[in-house]
Amino acid sequence: QVQLVESGGGLVQAGGSLRLSCAASGIVFSLYDMGWYRQAPGKQRELVATITSGGTTNYVESVKGRFTISRDNTKNMVYLQMNNLKPEDTAVYYCNARRRSIDSWGQGTQVTVSS
């Protein structure tokens, strides 16, 4: 059974930084593509960043140069370093694990950026 647990969210002022973490269990972590998604109030969930099992990364245009996704296969962890945060980054951030027919989500962590 796949389990993803996010942590690291919180309240930060614009221009500040946060580091989100996602602990994965129940899977052979190194085989999975991992991602971070976010959902703001009244909006659809959107992709923020992904990292493949091979380490290739992809970002939504609005976070390029500010956010960095990384993974540690020895710890079954994926991270999202968020710098120069903006009020429009306010959302619930979700961790995602994907491989073949498996598509699993964490419970989410709230990130609030004040202006």
Side-chain angles (χ1 to χ4, degrees):
Q1 181 177 351
V2 182
Q3 187 171 17
L4 302 172
V5 180
E6 302 99 334
S7 61
L11 173 64
V12 64
Q13 289 188 332
S17 297
L18 284 173
R19 188 195 194 205
L20 304 184
S21 300
C22 173
S25 61
I27 58 174
V28 181
F29 181 77
S30 61
L31 298 181
Y32 280 69
D33 297 337
M34 302 298 297
W36 288 97
Y37 290 72
R38 66 187 179 188
Q39 187 166 18
K43 295 187 177 181
Q44 289 190 332
R45 190 174 297 188
E46 67 168 353
L47 178 148
V48 177
T50 60
I51 183 166
T52 68
S53 58
T56 300
T57 58
N58 180 55
Y59 300 89
V60 67
E61 192 65 33
S62 61
V63 309
K64 285 182 180 178
R66 300 189 297 123
F67 291 11
T68 302
I69 189 171
S70 61
R71 66 189 297 161
D72 185 339
N73 290 342
T74 67
K75 297 181 180 179
N76 288 7
M77 297 288 294
V78 62
Y79 306 98
L80 185 68
Q81 178 66 45
M82 305 186 294
N83 298 327
N84 190 21
L85 282 159
K86 303 176 180 181
E88 51 264 42
D89 295 318
T90 295
V92 177
Y93 284 70
Y94 296 91
C95 180
N96 174 259
R98 190 169 297 172
R99 182 174 185 258
R100 296 178 180 173
S101 62
I102 297 173
D103 187 13
S104 295
W105 298 88
Q107 82 289 348
T109 185
Q110 176 71 47
V111 171
T112 303
V113 185
S114 63
S115 57

